[in-house]
Structures are given as structure tokens and as C-alpha cells.
């Protein structure tokens, strides 16, 4: 199977391309192309020290033509991986589907329910896969919680609180050009992870949303909703509070702060789940600051998201739930290879129902929540029914 990655930016470098390179090394996938309209993105990716060290002798075919031309030249039923900015997902995903390609798309699939319905319809008519990459689902702790919740051990979710605050230095990046009040907010950008995770664990769906935002200025003077407090009401009446910001101190350990607490009950006794998702038990104090955005001399690194390990070579082996998540979706596309449409549709229906891989059908609540959140934040946190 050929794999074509559209968008060669940060997430391509940090998670997607190393996963695909490793799958190629294992013989699971064939030729790898990366398409980006900016040649400098591709040059940076080709020369990235981590990738060069981890995958000696491996390379991708760089493509700077319009993505539609690159996709249009593919044989049917290969895999197109979409890693362009959120607002461009819809065009790239629909182009891939119309050219009879399977799709892996980074979160969020799209920003409206209507677009997600279009994608479901196009993919369904053609027997094609659209897998959405929410990697927190592949963190073992999420899968543990899901099995235990679904076996009844926690009873029913009642109240919860989650947070994900990125470091302050994000304000100095390209975010200041696009993360403006009219286009996004801290909840829309990062809050979706915990909304999706609570739905994944409990099987509940969001029924209403309210987002209170605080406007703050970027270094270039642009204004963004850089601090948000969201309240998600679920279809059983439960309530999840989610706080997000680009505001965790750069001097703080780890790359951000994030956690999830859920209070549950079976009507007789209470139950409780508490995940620290930034502090995972490791404390390092280096002789000096190793350098890089947000790096600190005292550090609490996560071994769980994405690491390169030396397992004797060649190169380094990517491990972690970031790897597992992308590999899981690519493996599903491999499973569909060579099957007739009816057989593909049967498998796709089975995966929609299993709900492990996010698909347009089984995770549409994410688009509904984002649409509602954008309305609510403009109205001082009004409650929007979904
Ligand atoms: N936790 C997560 O799941 C996670 C984390 C980071 C980013 N993301 C998602 O990944 C996507 C990309 O984010 P990023 O941080 O890598 O952004 P980025 O800006 O670093 O990279 C995007 C790349 O896409 C390229 N691009 C834009 N339009 C294009 C087009 N029409 N054709 C070809 N290339 C085009 C840009 O040149 C750039 O190199 C976003 O949807 C984001 O929400 C998800």
C-alpha cells in the first residue's frame, strides 16, 4: 500500500512520519510520499535530526504540486493521511474520497456537523475508510478505564473535571497569526481531546455546551480566547468541566499540564477515576537546560506518548500511544486491501460499532461540540443545546 501524507508540519514530524517510516521498515507499507505546498517544510522534514537518526537509509518522495494532483495520480484504495491545518481538512478528505482513497485524518476531522455528514456519505457510497486520529484513545490508561467503565465497575459518570494547558511560548509561534477570536479558542483547539476521551470511556454523548473565554493579547497584538472554561452536559445529565489555555508557565516541568478526574456512582456508593496525564512518575534534573521550546533543567517527561528507543537498531524504534494510534488506523486500511465493496462495507460497519477507531459516524459529537462551543463563547458562555 502506498501512503501519501498531505501536510509536512509539526504533527507530521513529531508523530505521523516516524510511525509511517517504522511501518515501512517493518514491510507493512510501501512507497511514502509527503506533499506540502511549502518546499521548506519538506526540506526541514527530510533533514530533521530525529528522523535521520531513527531511520537511516529511509526517505520519502517530496511533492510540492497541489494536493489534488498528487492524490489524483494514485492508484485506487491506497492511504491518504491528512495533516494540514483544521480548516483545510474537508477539502483534502473529500478530494481523497472522490479519488477512491482510504483516509487517516488528524483530529478534528472537520469543524461542522454538515461537513462530517458529507464525508460519511461519500465514504459510505464508495466503501472507503475514514479514520480520525485521537491518540489519547490508544493510551493504555484510557483503554483500561473504558473496559472497566463498560463492565460496570465505575457505575455511571456524574461529575468530572479535565484540563489541558499548553505552555506560554505557544503565543510566540505562528499561533498568533491564526488563533484569533474569530477563528478559534483554547477549548476548540485542545478541549476536544478530553471530550472525546470521556465519550470513549463512557459511551455517553454530549448534549449541551457552554464555554466561557477570556480574551488575551498575543505578542503581535492580535487577540485570542487564550483561556477557556467549558461545561459539557452529557445525555445522562452528567457534567464535565474542561479548562484550556495557552498559558502554562514555560518554567513548568513537562510540555504542558493535563489531567482527567471523573466522579461516578451506582446509586449506592460513589466511584472515582483520576488520571494525571502530564506527570507520569518520572523526575529528571539535568546538568543544564537541554534547549528547545519550553525545555527545562528540571523535567517530568512522559514515557508514554512518543519516544524513540534504542532496541539495537537499525536506527531507533518509535514507541508509545502516538505510534500505536497511527499504526492502528493504517493497519485497518491494509485490512481492506483487495476486498470487494460489500466485504469492505461489512468491516467498516463493524469498526463503526466497535468504536475504537474514531470515524465520522461514531465521533460526530466532536463536530457538534465544536460548533456549539464557537457559538457559546461569542455569547459569554450561553448554554447551547446540541
Ligand atoms: N494532538 C493532536 O492530535 C494534534 C496535535 C497537533 C496538531 N494536530 C492537528 O494536525 C494538523 C496540522 O497541525 P500542525 O501543528 O502539524 O500544523 P503545521 O502548521 O505545523 O503544519 C501544517 C502543514 O500543512 C501545510 N499545508 C497547509 N495547507 C496545505 C495545502 N493546501 N497543501 C499542502 N500542504 C499544506 C503547511 O505548509 C504546513 O507545513 C491540524 O489539524 C492540527 O489540529 C493534532
Amino acid at each position: 500500500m502506498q501512503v501519501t501524507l498531505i501536510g509536512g508540519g509539526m504533527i507530521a514530524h513529531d508523530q505521523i512520519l516516524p510511525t509511517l517510516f517504522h511501518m515501512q521498515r517493518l514491510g507493512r507499507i510501501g512507497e511514502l510520499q509527503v506533499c506540502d505546498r511549502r518546499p521548506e517544510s519538506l526540506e526541514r522534514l527530510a533533514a530533521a535530526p530525529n528522523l535521520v537518526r531513527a531511520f537511516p537509509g529511509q526517505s520519502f518522495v517530496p511533492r510540492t504540486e497541489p494536493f489534488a494532483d498528487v492524490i489524483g495520480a494514485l492508484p485506487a484504495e491506497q492511504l491518504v493521511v491528512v495533516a494540514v491545518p483544521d480548516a483545510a481538512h474537508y477539502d483534502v478528505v473529500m478530494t481523497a474520497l472522490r479519488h477512491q482513497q482510504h483516509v487517516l485524518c488528524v483530529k478534528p476531522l472537520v469543524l461542522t456537523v454538515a461537513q462530517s455528514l458529507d464525508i460519511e456519505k461519500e465514504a459510505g457510497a464508495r466503501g472507503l475508510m475514514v479514520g480520525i486520529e485521537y491518540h489519547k484513545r490508544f493510551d493504555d490508561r484510557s483503554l483500561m478505564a473504558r473496559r472497566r467503565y463498560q463492565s460496570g465497575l465505575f457505575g455511571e459518570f456524574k461529575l468530572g473535571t479535565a484540563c489541558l494547558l499548553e505552555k506560554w511560548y505557544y503565543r510566540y509561534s505562528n499561533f498568533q497569526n491564526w488563533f484569533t477570536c474569530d477563528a478559534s479558542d483554547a477549548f476548540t483547539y485542545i478541549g476536544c481531546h478530553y471530550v472525546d476521551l470521556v465519550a470513549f470511556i463512557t459511551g455517553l454523548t454530549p448534549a449541551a455546551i457552554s464555554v466561557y473565554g477570556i480574551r488575551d493579547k498575543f505578542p503581535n497584538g492580535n487577540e485570542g480566547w487564550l483561556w477557556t472554561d467549558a461545561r459539557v452536559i452529557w445525555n445522562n445529565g452528567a457534567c464535565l468541566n474542561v479548562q484550556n489555555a495557552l498559558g502554562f508557565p514555560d518554567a513548568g516541568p513537562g510540555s504542558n499540564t493535563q489531567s482527567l478526574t471523573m466522579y461516578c456512582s451506582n446509586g449506592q456508593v460513589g466511584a472515582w477515576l483520576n488520571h494525571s496525564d502530564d506527570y507520569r512518575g518520572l523526575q529528571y534534573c539535568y546538568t543544564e537546560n537541554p534547549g528547545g521550546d519550553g525545555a527545562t533543567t528540571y523535567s517530568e517527561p512522559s514515557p508514554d506518548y512518543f519516544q524513540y528507543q534504542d532496541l539495537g537498531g537499525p536506527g531507533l524504534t518509535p514507541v508509545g500511544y502516538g505510534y500505536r494510534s497511527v499504526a492502528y488506523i493504517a493497519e485497518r486500511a491494509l485490512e481492506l486491501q483487495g476486498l470487494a465493496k460489500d466485504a469492505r462495507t461489512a468491516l467498516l460497519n463493524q469498526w463503526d460499532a466497535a468504536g475504537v477507531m474514531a470515524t465520522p459516524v461514531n465521533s460526530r459529537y466532536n463536530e457538534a461540540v465544536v460548533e456549539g462551543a464557537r457559538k457559546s463563547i461569542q455569547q459569554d458562555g450561553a448554554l447551547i443545546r446540541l
Side-chain angles (χ1 to χ4, degrees), residues 355-373:
V356 174
M357 176 171 72
T359 66
V361 183
N362 71 23
S363 71
R364 182 156 304 120
Y365 53 82
N366 285 314
E367 277 78 31
V369 164
V370 164
E371 267 197 86

Side-chain angles (χ1 to χ4, degrees), residues 6-12 35-38 41 67 83-86 89 106-108 133 135 189 193:
I6 313 289
M10 188 260 285
I11 194 73
C35 165
D36 199 295
R37 63 182 175 193
R38 290 188 305 185
S41 290
F67 67 80
V84 291
D86 300 358
H89 290 186
V106 296
K107 71 82 202 160
E133 207 274 321
H135 43 248
Y189 177 64
H193 285 295

Side-chain angles (χ1 to χ4, degrees), residues 14-297:
D14 290 358
Q15 183 191 345
I16 294 173
L17 187 56
T19 300
L20 296 174
F21 268 151
H22 190 61
M23 291 185 80
Q24 189 182 49
R25 175 157 64 195
L26 295 174
R28 300 299 297 151
I29 61 173
E31 187 183 81
L32 201 47
Q33 304 187 83
V34 184
C35 165
D36 199 295
R37 63 182 175 193
R38 290 188 305 185
E40 61 273 22
S41 290
L42 296 176
E43 285 155 20
R44 209 170 27 238
L45 211 48
N50 267 345
L51 296 173
V52 171
R53 165 79 181 87
F55 305 103
Q58 285 181 255
S59 59
F60 58 82
V61 180
R63 307 296 299 265
T64 49
E65 303 95 305
F67 67 80
D69 294 353
V70 175
I71 293 171
L74 292 171
E77 287 159 40
Q78 310 302 301
L79 178 65
V80 171
V81 180
V82 182
V84 291
D86 300 358
H89 290 186
Y90 178 73
D91 269 357
V92 183
V93 172
M94 288 300 277
T95 302
L97 294 174
R98 288 180 182 135
H99 284 96
Q100 197 60 25
Q101 302 298 318
H102 299 298
V103 172
L104 181 165
C105 185
V106 296
K107 71 82 202 160
L109 175 62
V110 281
L111 299 171
T112 68
V113 169
Q115 290 182 340
S116 140
L117 287 164
D118 284 352
I119 290 172
E120 177 193 341
K121 198 168 151 208
E122 192 69 32
R126 294 168 172 278
L128 294 171
M129 177 193 87
V130 177
I132 309 153
E133 207 274 321
Y134 281 99
H135 43 248
K136 279 188 182 300
R137 292 179 172 213
F138 289 83
D139 191 342
D140 281 336
R141 61 184 56 189
S142 307
L143 291 157
M144 285 172 65
R146 185 171 188 254
R147 270 196 67 199
R148 284 160 175 72
Y149 187 95
Q150 293 187 356
S151 73
L153 271 173
F154 287 105
E156 188 182 5
F157 174 48
K158 298 290 181 190
L159 288 180
T161 179
C163 73
L164 204 177
L165 286 81
E166 300 289 5
K167 280 191 163 177
W168 188 273
Y169 73 83
Y170 271 52
R171 297 172 180 223
Y172 288 88
S173 72
N174 192 36
F175 272 72
Q176 55 188 323
N177 297 317
W178 66 268
F179 198 93
T180 43
C181 288
D182 57 311
S184 195
D185 57 80
F187 174 77
T188 294
Y189 177 64
I190 35 179
C192 61
H193 285 295
Y194 279 107
V195 175
D196 183 69
L197 199 56
V198 169
F200 181 67
I201 292 170
T202 63
L204 298 168
T205 47
I209 171 100
S210 145
V211 183
Y212 172 73
I214 301 173
R215 291 169 179 265
D216 207 349
K217 279 208 164 49
F218 281 105
N220 68 358
N222 280 345
E223 243 184 9
W225 301 108
L226 300 190
W227 313 84
T228 56
D229 184 278
R231 170 186 269 201
V232 183
I233 310 295
W234 297 75
N235 58 345
N236 69 336
C239 176
L240 175 75
N241 162 260
V242 189
Q243 295 193 328
N244 300 109
L246 306 187
F248 190 58
D250 289 348
S255 50
N256 52 35
T257 185
Q258 49 176 316
S259 62
L260 170 67
T261 304
M262 295 168 66
Y263 301 95
C264 308
S265 150
N266 65 358
Q268 312 296 315
V269 292
W272 170 63
L273 173 162
N274 192 30
H275 288 180
S276 160
D277 288 339
D278 48 25
Y279 180 60
R280 294 184 181 232
L282 280 68
Q283 297 178 295
Y284 289 178
C285 199
Y286 306 120
T287 53
E288 59 184 347
N289 186 321
D293 289 334
T296 46
T297 305

